[in-house]
Amino acid sequence: MSSLKRSSPSHSLTLSAFLWPFIRTYRWAFLATLLLAIAAMVVETSLWPSLLRIFLDTMLRDQSAVSSALSLTSFMKTDAFVAFLGLMGAWVSMDITYRLYGFSNAWLFPRFEAAVRKSMLQRLMEHSHAFFANHPAGSMANKVNDISRGPTRIFTIVIGQLIPVLFSIVVIAVIFAQLNYIFSAIFLGWAALHVGVALYFAPRCNKRSEIHAATRSTVQGRIVDIFSNMTAVRIFSRQPFEYSEFLPGQDQEQQQQAESLFYIEKMKIVLGLAAAICIGIGEIGYALFAWSRGVITLGEAILIVNASWGITAMLWMLSNQLPELFKEMGVCNQALSLLQITPEIQDVADAKKLEVNHGEIVFDNVVFDYKSAKKIVSTKENAFSKPNANVIHHRKTLPQTIHLRASEKVGLVGESGGGKTTFVQLILRYYDLHAGRILIDGQDIRQVTQASLRENISFIPQDPLLFHRSVLENIRYGSPEATDEAVYEAAHLARCDNFIQQLSEGYDTLVGERGIKLSGGQRQRIAIARAFLKNAPILILDEATSALDSLTETEIQESLYSLSRQKRNCTTLVIAHRLSTLLDMDRILVFHQGSIVEDGSHQDLLAMGGRYAKLWEMQRGNI
């Protein structure tokens, strides 16, 4: 049995726990940004009103001296002018602090986003083949984007507004207390009420935002799925069908978003009433009353009105940002769900690098079934989910160990869903076994790194895997360090050099998403060229020439066999439905319902008169 644990959900990873390593990396930049934001808001909401009070009180106290000043020089000698300079200094310092805060943001958050995005991508790429088979690419791409950009918006609100506002509330409360403790008490009572209401509504807003984010991600994934398969949509004239299938999800997303926003507006109503009663009537009303009774000066009354109104405006602006804050928290938590799944296939702690000197492959009492793994790769392998057809193993009539010798050319045949593709996917360790082991040159593939395992295997799937990049980049993907000349040679061996030269920009032509701008045969030849360039000691072809004409297929097979002969340790496995392509194989394995039922050369299998012989006669009859 595998020593590795199967994928299981983990609920220990929170958004804060995920982001903390990145925050710690840029902790000094975060601290500087926060201090600048606090300084700018304290100057705006506290220092400026205080200096304005001093200026007004000085003007009123020294009114006779100011009015008697006959020149600018004589006015500059008054206390009012000194207070005016302080007021202007506060203005300038506030503007400078805000600009420094902006520059700090510009330095910090692009780096922070990039670090999160790189980490997210790296961690997702550690997942198994089954994980990507069961998660739509569009939805995953959206979540990677959400988890990288969302925290920036959250921190902008928290660092740029929430914390500075709370800090300013404390400073203003201290200033008010120096004037009259009643002003401070009213102000703090309102602040506590405001925060209490926000804390009451926050988790409910966050929950609604998470639900909406999940539906939104599904809707976006559906859109990507439609666009990715637009050719099929057009061929079958299914535009109305896809649109009608899309509408229920979109309607649900719309309803959930509306519910989330309406709930936040209810919170704003409560906050608005609290501000109107506490600040409008209580704080400002009492300030005017105290001034009329001579308890405070006009400047102090204006300080109270100005500071109270300023912090209320800031809090109201913050409340307008709450929908965005809750939305981003919900979106980020939903995106984080991708990281709640432990990678199904992992390297062991002391995994070594695979060393291939011969290319010998041994299946030793291997048992695997999709039902136990709870994974079905594709409809092509659905036979493994049926009763009595869900295990790839070796029947008692055959040796319990299948031994593929070094440099041997082995064909794999059988009906669709019989286990051929699963057989090679197990060699690639797309899945872990339930019993037994697979050895390459005597090394258990579970004890070596996955990277080194796949570096030693060239795999050409039936559906070519091309990137939306140039032809040159797609071929060079097999060996990133290869020279242009090596790429051209691989293309020549794969019989694709001629058609590449005829493309609009030759090797620099972009092939489109998944190679859509090329024909099926052209895509397959580029995939084969990539495998030639990789030049690995183990070569696997999964119906890799099925989309080619007979002449091109023959030419490529000759190139493949030539490559096998040049590399003495090149073991070749070929999956094919056309049995005529396997006549030169050293051995042929016949699969049926997840089992290897026959093993031998073409002539040996014909002599057995079993399944292979029947398949051969059927195909000959159709020629």
Side-chain angles (χ1 to χ4, degrees), residues 1-22:
M1 295 290 291
S2 171
S3 61
L4 299 177
K5 295 177 67 176
R6 293 282 172 188
S7 295
S8 59
S10 171
H11 302 289
S12 59
L13 184 62
T14 63
L15 182 60
S16 58
F18 171 71
L19 294 177
W20 175 244
F22 307 103

Side-chain angles (χ1 to χ4, degrees), residues 380 412 414-416 420 543 575-579 581 619:
K380 183 176 180 182
L412 310 180
E415 73 274 12
S416 296
K420 306 180 298 298
E543 291 286 343
I575 298 176
H577 282 101
R578 291 204 296 261
L579 303 186
T581 63
Q619 291 195 13

